[in-house]
Amino acid sequence: MTVSCTGNGMYRNYRYFAMDTVVTICLPADMDEKQASAAADRCSRILSDIEMHLSSKNENGGVYILNHSEEHFSADDVIAEITAKSESIRVLTDGAFDYTLSPLIELWNVTGGGPVPAQSDISDALSRTGADKVRAGENGVELYDGAGLDFGGIGKGYAAVLITEELKSSGIPYGMVSVGGNISVWGEKPDGTEYKIGIKDPENTDSVIGYVYLDAGFVSVSGDYERFFEENGKRYHHIIDGSTGYPAESGLHSAAVISSDGTEADALSTALFVMGEEKALEFYRLGKADFEAVLVADDGRIIMTDGIKDKFEFYEGAVN
Ligand code: AMP
Ligand code: MG
């Protein structure tokens, strides 16, 4: 997904690296420069704070400590909140979204470039996953039997929500935020047009397959092109199917979710990617969560849910 804060000089843009990804904040161009940069600074601090709670890679991260300490216990309130939200989405998606896959994610080490693990190590890591090894109560979160948590599939959406709330409550009338491709837009732009959000072409990430038009809300995309390594000509990406222990091979290249709940948009995009076209559409039809989706299949087909069809514009020249 791309976020371009172009719009004929409508925005003042801030860009930085946080939560292991690129963050872009687009604020109204006519805002006082000092106020805008102070607001962007506050967002940067919010991101650092979330990272300190939720990082499973940084040794000082709350989740890292929870996963690796002797006690395997955390009383951190952000971890408790995200665990509760993640558990409800795990149940909702029948385990397609699974925040307990940390043993597999560490084993695959996709961001570190692999290699493909031995089947015996995958089986061992699989045996340490599962929500039955997590106890989350009023006092905190506790892990058992070698379990570990990973909020890589939900944390950036959560961050996009908190930043948006901060900017809105500071009275900033409109804007756009992207936390590693988890996009948020709010407020009416001076030209009265809707926000135009590009969905990347998984086959050519410099281009887009089309655009989603939104007046407010969140868009998150999960794709096999985001983080991966290649071995013997095969691509191994970062989204794991907890039922196999391998990177999901569901027939999808990417799944975009549009929702008014940014945390859910992030988690559901990961879940739909794991589900694949058929299960994702079935999940949509069940109506257990309020969202729309744009899927790109491995064969290039673009599949949309009913509620987004008239808000989607194909990129000229895109094949469909
Ligand atoms: P996203 O890019 O939002 O789809 O998130 C992918 C990240 O979520 C990965 O880098 C992992 O940290 C984590 N993850 C991988 N597989 C899953 C899964 N099936 N459910 C939840 N989180 C996952
Ligand atoms: Mg996600």
Side-chain angles (χ1 to χ4, degrees):
M1 177 160 42
T2 56
V3 61
S4 53
C5 311
T6 44
N8 305 323
M10 209 142 34
Y11 301 106
R12 199 185 277 290
N13 304 331
Y14 298 87
R15 188 179 283 259
Y16 36 78
F17 197 79
M19 295 186 80
D20 220 11
T21 193
V22 179
V23 177
T24 313
I25 296 182
C26 312
L27 302 178
D30 60 0
M31 241 182 108
D32 174 73
E33 193 182 339
K34 269 197 185 138
Q35 278 180 7
S37 99
D41 283 349
R42 289 198 300 281
C43 292
S44 160
R45 283 197 291 276
I46 289 173
L47 287 166
S48 309
D49 185 55
I50 297 172
E51 194 168 7
M52 279 318 295
H53 289 279
L54 296 186
S55 179
S56 53
K57 290 193 190 121
N58 182 331
E59 285 184 16
N60 301 315
V63 171
Y64 182 93
I65 295 168
L66 167 66
N67 289 350
H68 296 281
S69 73
E70 294 254 308
E71 303 86 59
H72 295 296
F73 174 79
S74 172
D76 182 309
D77 53 346
V78 176
I79 294 178
E81 181 190 346
I82 294 296
T83 302
K85 181 90 180 171
S86 296
E87 172 59 12
S88 74
I89 297 175
R90 184 192 67 81
V91 172
L92 204 65
T93 62
D94 206 12
F97 177 84
D98 189 343
Y99 61 102
T100 75
L101 300 183
S102 171
L104 285 164
I105 291 162
E106 286 196 357
L107 177 68
W108 277 95
N109 187 27
V110 169
T111 29
V116 176
Q119 180 58 52
S120 56
D121 291 336
I122 292 175
S123 303
D124 171 68
L126 257 177
S127 74
R128 292 189 285 123
T129 66
D132 56 327
K133 300 173 186 68
V134 182
R135 221 149 294 162
E138 274 185 12
N139 301 324
V141 178
E142 193 161 8
L143 305 179
Y144 300 87
D145 305 329
L149 305 187
D150 184 291
F151 297 117
I154 190 170
K156 295 184 189 89
Y158 173 73
V161 171
L162 290 198
I163 289 179
T164 305
E165 280 171 4
E166 165 63 31
L167 296 172
K168 273 171 135 176
S169 68
S170 320
I172 297 174
Y174 69 92
M176 196 169 195
V177 159
S178 165
V179 183
N182 293 271
I183 299 208
S184 158
V185 296
W186 79 94
E188 192 176 332
K189 293 193 287 175
D191 68 1
T193 61
E194 288 182 304
Y195 296 88
K196 183 178 181 182
I197 298 158
I199 307 289
K200 265 188 190 167
D201 179 351
E203 297 277 0
N204 172 16
T205 52
D206 292 332
S207 184
V208 296
I209 52 150
Y211 303 93
V212 168
Y213 287 88
L214 273 189
D215 50 18
F218 296 84
V219 183
S220 285
V221 184
S222 293
D224 62 4
Y225 55 84
E226 292 178 306
R227 292 166 199 237
F228 62 87
F229 68 90
E230 280 178 20
E231 200 174 293
N232 296 327
K234 191 169 153 69
R235 182 182 285 197
Y236 296 91
H237 61 74
H238 67 140
I239 302 172
I240 306 289
D241 182 340
S243 69
T244 64
Y246 282 78
E249 290 193 55
S250 66
L252 292 182
H253 257 323
S254 70
V257 168
I258 300 100
S259 168
S260 59
D261 179 336
T263 312
E264 206 161 285
D266 189 2
L268 288 182
S269 68
T270 309
L272 298 194
F273 182 89
V274 172
M275 287 177 191
E277 175 179 349
E278 216 171 292
K279 281 191 189 156
L281 292 178
E282 174 63 19
F283 177 68
Y284 174 78
R285 280 193 288 268
L286 286 174
K288 288 197 273 185
D290 194 10
F291 70 94
E292 299 297 333
V294 180
L295 312 175
V296 181
D298 285 344
D299 60 12
R301 280 178 307 114
I302 298 167
I303 303 121
M304 275 173 272
T305 53
D306 289 342
I308 200 71
K309 284 181 180 156
D310 60 352
K311 292 283 180 193
F312 185 85
E313 178 191 24
F314 286 98
Y315 175 65
E316 235 176 89
V319 190
N320 188 47

